[in-house]
Amino acid sequence: MYRRFKHGIDEVEDVVQRSLSNLSVADLQPSKSPDKVDPEVLKKVEECWEQIGSQCVEYAHQSRRTKIVDDGEWKTVRIFVSSTFTDFFCEREVLVKKVFPELREWCHERLLYVVDCDLRWGVPKDTTTAETIAICLEELNRCIEETNGEPFFLNMTGERYGWIPTTDDLPDTLRQKFQWIPDTSITFMEVLHGAYRMQNPNALFMMRDSTILDDIPEDQLSRYKDTDELQVQQLKQLKIWLQSRFPEQVLDYSCKVDGLIRLHEKEMVNITGLEDFSEQVLKFFKAAISRTFPDRTAVKIQDSKVLMENASQKKHVEELADNMLGRKNEAEQIFCFLQGQTSLFKSGETKKPYSRDPEYWQEFIEFENSLLCLTGPSGYGKTTLLAYVTQQAIKNGMTVFYHFCGSSGNSQHVLLLLQRLAAFLKQDYSTEYLETLYQLDEGKLQDIIRDSFLTLKDKPSDKPIVIVFEALNQLSSADYHKHMSWLPPKFPASVYCIVSSTQHPPTISRIQEHPHYSLKLEALNKSDAKDIIQLFLQRFNKRLDNDQLSLILDSKCSQSPLWLYLICEELRIYGDYRSLTKHVQSVTTSIDDMIEAIVRRLIKEDDTKQMEKAMSLLACSNSVVTAQDLQKMLGNIADKNPLPQLMFAQIKRALSPYLRVAHYNDQITFVHINIKNVILDCLVKKQASGKQCHTLLADYIEYWSDDKELKVEALPYHLQQAVLRKRLVHFIREVPESSRVPLFRRSAIMSDCRCRNLADSVIQGVVPAYLCVFCQHKRAVYFPNGYHMNENMCVVCGNHTFNLPNTSRAHLCNFHSVHQQATVLKCFLCSNIVTKNQAKPALLCQHCGFGNNGKRCAALDMHLS
């Protein structure tokens, strides 16, 4: 009723007062105890509920929640799980292993990503620290904010009320922020904050049948039932009020005790018969999610990398654009470029093409528009500036494609950029078209992009299309000779292209092969730097005196917005500006020094002992890493036990200023590439822990993760970096997901596993490789899910060779051809003896046989690790 307001605030107040008037001593008496209840306990309980009633009335006056705006793109659905800890282990197991996986699958079909927030999962006992309480409630706050005040909330209640902190356990700031009610438990405050005050329609309360206590062993009973008088009375009254306030959302369930089990080195009561519990939870949240996102219908989600990356890019741009400070003059210059005013810019010298095929792009040379190249040192604000320009261009009605490297773990992959650009130019995001794009290599995608741009040559210039490529130097191809060969030399009159890069020599050289205008970001002036510092600190009600401000502005590093952000973040955390600014003097030689100091501080202040590992794993990853992925990797992969969520929340909280989290699936990336590079240098390379990190990443992806896309994109890379070549060969040749690895990449991966010896036919002892008559007509053994035969299969990477040009014969070096004779040979696949007139030559595909690779031995390296 509070939510709808249709009968007005007066009715709300009337209901609360009427409910409070029903509170009597009889209601507070324990139902089974003949002893008289302490009047002081009754008084405390009554005072608690009077305060709660007042807060509900106040909340009803102030609350004006709005419906979530659903744009149909990927969204995150967080479900906060609340209960006392020691008595709901089995229910939590069912939630994690059965309910949430099924709900996650159901939501995935609706472009929704489920995250279960259970911060007390894995904690050995109820904790009493103020920091822990704050972390729990702040995570709940996040759930509240993302749902406009109606979080998805699950509470499980048995016969325990939970630990009640004293006044000394809670700092004043925490009590004020969350309107803490004295003499109540942490679990109750979660209920109050996440559901009760706002009468949350998305809250579910599961009440366990108390008769289960009859079957619990005496030595375990204290885990399932409170005996303290205050806790008993508070629990009884809580159940009464929940039933009154949420009559349709309080559900009972029964279960049974089935002996004891030993888990995590502890003996626990085994509670079974939770099928009804699972069904009710699943049914409720499906209905609640459908109410919140009513226009979502089940669709077939297959390989939706483009849609996911679009969501990441959009959120990335929105966040950066909102934080734009300074650089107004540069922004105005770029807007002039988008209006065709190029006289403000210096025209760069055009070099002879090296990676780009001039004949392929011949028709583009006569086009009108050259690209604009934005350059500047790392950390000078290029990304934020382009995000601001992008957002303003969209607001001004322009059609904009943008790709920001660093928006997600996959954004540096050229293939994904080309897939996104092809879908944009065709304006086709259908499942069928995207599926077609995913099967194409870079060359075929480049053909689609070229043809699409050619169709725009007659498009009216008054309806401009803006193309933004940010941080081309961070693309995966940045150090290859074909880097940026897909970028047209010029563009039609209706298309304006902006690219950015640091002073990365290969990227700058490739850009200079295009007719272009240049805009170089100069050092930030002191006025803009001062504004950035003051506006940042004002958000947290902090300020510096003139001497402290001058100390920062006089540093040569103050010319970089990134450094200013980092130092302001340190000032915000420490608060002791005088001592901190002395520390600043020792790390102002470079941005990297500042970042390394922060990394060392984070490790030193970390109580979980997992911070260094967490940062190293994030830095070593070359693909998407979600918060859930990282939590699992920090736990026990062999036993599939994630890091306790409370510990993980502490890590994430400490790292939050330096991480970017995608809204649609909790995808984690560093806010700037410099942070990743410094962590790689100071934690991974210096301590030679890279192989260990890549092994851990590979173990998680191969043995625990359900993300098939992650297996395709990331597993081969981490196996290569960890030098686990036997597992790499096993993946390429036997794991079904490997069939989706692009053909040229399969060949490149297997090249590292081939014998290094030359197998040129002119060398004595080198013999051709053959296939026996039985193996010839079997399905490709080295290409999972392949339909081609072994006789048409590359015997190195498994790719098909049928009717393809540039295939070649496979040979064996004089080591691997031992015991083979001119007339009696061994089948390459099964090693059976075969005569030459019965055999068929084994082949290499155009990739494995290209250049000198065609003269290498086709067998695997005998020293595979």
Side-chain angles (χ1 to χ4, degrees), residues 817-831:
S817 64
V818 68
H819 302 311
Q820 299 203 43
Q821 302 173 10
T823 56
V824 181
L825 306 167
K826 286 185 178 180
C827 174
F828 184 87
L829 298 179
C830 68
S831 297

Side-chain angles (χ1 to χ4, degrees), residues 479-503:
D479 294 318
Y480 296 136
H481 76 284
K482 285 293 186 181
H483 181 39
M484 291 173 52
S485 61
W486 48 267
L487 186 65
K490 297 187 77 174
F491 297 86
S494 60
V495 180
Y496 296 90
C497 181
I498 307 171
V499 301
S500 75
S501 173
T502 60
Q503 297 299 326

Side-chain angles (χ1 to χ4, degrees), residues 257-377:
V257 174
D258 187 15
L260 299 176
I261 54 174
R262 189 166 185 81
L263 288 174
H264 312 304
E265 300 181 355
K266 291 183 180 180
E267 198 171 56
M268 301 179 180
V269 175
N270 186 24
I271 295 178
T272 60
L274 294 169
E275 292 79 12
D276 182 51
F277 168 83
S278 302
E279 290 176 8
Q280 291 189 86
V281 172
L282 198 58
K283 180 180 178 181
F284 177 87
F285 283 112
K286 282 184 178 180
I289 292 168
S290 295
R291 284 197 309 271
T292 306
F293 302 99
D295 298 325
R296 302 275 177 141
T297 56
V299 295
K300 182 181 179 182
I301 305 297
Q302 185 176 9
D303 297 334
S304 52
K305 292 182 296 184
V306 166
L307 298 180
M308 290 181 176
E309 186 61 30
N310 286 350
S312 279
Q313 293 279 341
K314 181 180 179 182
K315 183 173 186 288
H316 180 65
V317 166
E318 289 172 350
E319 287 181 347
L320 288 175
D322 292 340
N323 293 323
M324 172 74 173
L325 295 171
R327 301 295 190 194
K328 298 298 182 183
N329 290 335
E330 291 88 344
E332 289 299 326
Q333 292 180 53
I334 296 176
F335 289 136
C336 289
F337 170 78
L338 297 181
Q339 295 168 4
Q341 302 172 23
T342 58
S343 59
L344 299 173
F345 303 97
K346 178 182 176 181
S347 182
E349 180 184 354
T350 305
K351 297 182 179 179
K352 182 179 179 180
Y354 172 74
S355 65
R356 172 168 50 85
D357 182 357
E359 292 185 10
Y360 182 85
W361 296 103
Q362 183 63 40
E363 295 178 78
F364 286 73
I365 300 300
E366 303 302 321
F367 284 165
E368 293 86 346
N369 288 345
S370 300
L371 59 82
L372 172 64
C373 177
L374 177 67
T375 60

Side-chain angles (χ1 to χ4, degrees), residues 1 52 81 126 154 164 173 185 199 253-254 305 324 369 427 495 529 582 606 653 727 775 781 786 791 842 856:
M1 67 184 71
I52 293 165
V81 180
D126 286 336
L154 171 62
I164 298 176
T173 53
S185 68
Q199 202 171 13
Y253 72 95
S254 59
K305 292 182 296 184
M324 172 74 173
N369 288 345
Q427 285 298 295
V495 180
K582 290 179 181 178
D606 174 42
R653 186 188 193 195
R727 285 173 58 181
C775 289
V781 292
E791 62 181 345
R856 281 175 61 188

Side-chain angles (χ1 to χ4, degrees), residues 588-604:
T588 54
T589 55
S590 69
I591 295 176
D592 288 355
D593 286 343
M594 182 76 247
I595 297 172
E596 184 169 354
I598 292 171
V599 169
R600 301 297 180 194
R601 174 182 65 77
L602 289 170
I603 295 173
K604 182 179 179 181

Side-chain angles (χ1 to χ4, degrees), residues 502-510:
T502 60
Q503 297 299 326
H504 178 248
T507 302
I508 295 299
S509 295
R510 297 294 82 76

Side-chain angles (χ1 to χ4, degrees), residues 755 757-761 763-770 810-822 824-828 833 857-860:
C755 174
N757 294 337
L758 277 176
D760 196 330
S761 57
I763 300 175
Q764 186 176 2
V766 170
V767 300
Y770 288 95
H811 289 77
L812 298 175
C813 66
N814 48 23
F815 175 83
H816 285 104
S817 64
V818 68
H819 302 311
Q820 299 203 43
Q821 302 173 10
V824 181
L825 306 167
K826 286 185 178 180
C827 174
F828 184 87
I833 299 297
C857 178
L860 294 178

